[in-house]
Amino acid sequence: MTIGAMTPTTASWGKRDDMIVRANQPYNAEPPPAVLADSALTPIDAFYARNHGSFPDTAPQDWQLTVNGQVERPLTVTYEQLTTEFDQHDVVATLACAGNRRAEMLRVRPIPGKEPWAHGAISTAEWRGARLTDVLAAAGAQHYDGLHVAFQALDIAEEAKPLQPYGSSIPLSKAMSPEVLLAWRMNSEPLPRTHGGPVRVVVPGYIGARSVKWISDITVQSGPSENYFQSRDYRILPADADPEAVAAGEGIALSSVALNCDILDPTDDDRVPRGQLTIRGYGIAGDGRSVERVDVSLDEGLTWRQADLHPAPGRWSWRPWSLVVDVAPGPLHITARAWDETGAAQPEWPASLWNPRGYGNNAWARVALSVI
Ligand SMILES: Nc1nc2c(c(=O)[nH]1)N[C@H]1C(S)=C(S)[C@@H](COP(=O)(O)O)O[C@H]1N2
Ligand SMILES: [Mo]
C-alpha cells in the first residue's frame, strides 16, 4: 500500500468511475448521458459537478451566513439556526449549467479555454432547505422594485480576474419566490461538499451559476452583483466580441434557462442493433413553465412523431420522455425538439446562437450513430 498525498479523483469526490472528467483541479465532471436517462432524480454519484476554484471544507458547526445591505436587522445565522428555526421545504429542481451542450457550439466555431460540456452538465435532485424569502424576512429586507440579492461564497475562483470569491445575484422578485432555497440536503443526504455543503443556494429555473455553493454572505442591494461571474462572465456577448476584453456589464446577463431538450440515449457514435430502439431524453422549459410536447425525427426534421412524455418529478424539474422506434442497418440521425405551454419552440441550429463564451445552446437535439 502506498501512503502519500492523494490527488483528488472522481472516486474521492464520491462520483461514479465513468464520469467524464473535464478538469481535476478544480473537479469538473459530467455523467455519461445514458446514466442521466436512467432516473428522473439524478443519484448524487452521477450529478454533474461544476467548480471554478478550490473549495472549502467547512464543518456545519463552523458555517455561518451573514445577511446585510438594505435590511432592517443585519443577521448572522448559524447552521443550527438555519436548520431548526426556519420552516423546511423540499423542492425537486434541475440544475443546468449555462455551458451545457457547448460541445455542439464549438463545432461551429472554436471557443478556447472553455470546457467542452456535452450532454451531461445538467442534473436533477430533491433539495431540502429554508426558503430564502423567510431568511430575508427575518433580516427585515426592504422590498422596493428593482432591488437585487447578491450571494458570495467561500471558494476562491481561480477563473476570475482579479482573483475573488465566487458570487452572483438574482433580482429580489425571484429571491422572494417560494422555490428559492438555502439548501442543506440533496436527495435526502447531507449536502455533499462538492455540491456546496454545508449550505448552498438553489435557484430553480435559473442557470446553475446562480445557485451559489458554500454560501457565506447575502446582500440586498440596489444593483446586480459586481462579482466577476455576474458582471463579466455568464453573459451572452455579441458574436464578434473578444471575451478577454469585455467591460463589466457588457452583453446580456443570463438568468432563467431557455426551453431546451436533449437526447440522452442512444448517443453520438453508439452502435445499436437493428429492430426496436428506445430513445430517451428530457425536455425542460424556463422558469417554471412546462414542456407540453417533444417531437422526434429520424429523417433530420422532414417528418416528426411525438415522444411519450413522462411526468416531471416537480414543477422546477426536467420532464423525461421516451419513444420506441424501429431502425434498420445504416447511419441513424435522431433529432428532437420541445414545445412549452406558451407554444415556444427551440431554434434549429447552434450556429444561430453561437456566442464567444458558448452559453445557452438550446438548439434542436441531434445525435448521429449507426445501426448494425
Ligand atoms: N461557490 C460556487 N458556487 C457555484 C459554482 C462555483 O464554482 N462556486 N459554480 C456554479 C455553476 S457554473 C454551476 S453550473 C453550479 C453547479 O452545481 P453542481 O456542481 O452542484 O452541479 O454551481 C454554481 N455555483
Ligand atoms: Mo455553470
Side-chain angles (χ1 to χ4, degrees):
M1 194 171 101
T2 323
I3 298 175
M6 265 185 32
T7 313
T9 60
T10 276
S12 57
W13 295 120
K15 296 293 172 185
R16 303 166 55 102
D17 294 341
D18 57 0
M19 292 294 277
I20 304 162
V21 177
R22 301 288 174 203
N24 257 314
Q25 281 178 326
Y27 183 63
N28 278 285
E30 62 182 303
V35 170
L36 279 183
D38 282 341
S39 54
L41 291 191
T42 314
I44 289 176
D45 68 356
F47 203 102
Y48 82 99
R50 173 74 182 102
N51 296 304
H52 292 77
S54 326
F55 44 86
D57 193 0
T58 311
Q61 64 271 21
D62 298 329
W63 177 87
Q64 60 176 39
L65 172 71
T66 64
V67 184
N68 55 29
Q70 300 197 25
V71 299
E72 273 152 34
R73 300 172 292 278
L75 272 190
T76 301
V77 186
T78 64
Y79 184 85
E80 171 79 14
Q81 289 170 324
L82 183 74
T83 56
T84 60
E85 291 175 13
F86 293 88
D87 288 344
Q88 305 191 357
H89 299 273
D90 293 315
V91 175
V92 174
T94 299
L95 289 192
C97 185
N100 189 35
R101 303 186 59 200
R102 180 182 286 130
E104 298 158 65
M105 266 197 182
L106 45 81
R107 281 178 222 139
V108 178
R109 240 167 95 186
I111 302 174
K114 288 290 198 182
E115 296 80 4
W117 297 109
H119 305 278
I122 181 166
S123 299
T124 302
E126 182 178 51
W127 311 92
R128 168 168 295 179
R131 285 182 175 151
L132 176 57
T133 188
D134 291 347
V135 175
L136 290 173
Q142 299 179 351
H143 28 260
Y144 303 117
D145 268 1
L147 288 180
H148 293 253
V149 176
F151 306 123
Q152 187 169 299
L154 294 166
D155 54 329
I156 298 297
E158 281 123 32
E159 272 180 37
K161 294 177 202 92
L163 209 63
Q164 58 197 278
Y166 188 90
S168 79
S169 62
I170 59 174
L172 179 68
S173 52
K174 177 70 178 179
M176 288 176 58
S177 292
E179 71 278 5
V180 179
L181 298 182
L182 293 168
W184 59 83
R185 289 182 90 78
M186 179 181 186
N187 292 351
S188 306
E189 286 186 34
L191 184 65
R193 183 181 161 211
T194 348
H195 294 293
V199 179
R200 80 178 298 168
V201 186
V202 175
V203 186
Y206 272 35
I207 60 161
R210 308 303 177 220
S211 289
V212 173
K213 307 194 266 189
W214 315 290
I215 180 74
S216 65
D217 294 274
I218 296 181
T219 310
V220 179
Q221 56 188 52
S222 55
S225 166
E226 286 173 7
N227 187 277
Y228 177 84
F229 296 99
Q230 186 74 37
S231 67
R232 291 175 192 269
D233 204 350
Y234 292 106
R235 306 181 79 93
I236 303 280
L237 300 173
D240 61 352
D242 170 3
E244 297 309 312
V246 296
E250 226 174 291
I252 302 158
L254 289 156
S255 55
S256 54
V257 296
L259 173 70
N260 212 335
C261 79
D262 209 354
I263 300 160
L264 297 174
D265 182 40
T267 196
D268 277 315
D269 305 323
D270 277 358
R271 295 158 67 79
V272 300
R274 72 186 72 187
Q276 277 205 340
L277 172 68
T278 304
I279 307 170
R280 299 184 296 165
Y282 70 84
I284 186 164
D287 218 2
R289 287 185 293 277
S290 60
V291 170
E292 290 297 306
R293 205 174 81 210
V294 171
D295 302 328
V296 176
S297 174
L298 302 185
D299 53 17
E300 299 190 67
L302 278 176
T303 60
W304 298 91
R305 52 192 106 175
Q306 286 186 49
D308 298 316
L309 282 178
H310 306 295
R315 174 168 172 216
W316 298 98
S317 92
W318 60 19
R319 187 158 189 194
W321 58 264
S322 63
L323 183 68
V324 181
V325 297
D326 247 311
V327 290
L332 177 65
H333 292 265
I334 312 175
T335 310
R337 63 179 188 198
W339 302 77
D340 77 8
E341 70 192 66
T342 69
Q346 301 172 241
E348 211 174 319
W349 295 103
S352 56
L353 296 160
W354 192 95
N355 59 92
R357 285 211 168 96
Y359 290 133
N361 180 12
N362 72 327
W364 291 0
R366 294 167 197 273
V367 296
L369 54 145
S370 17
V371 181
I372 49 174

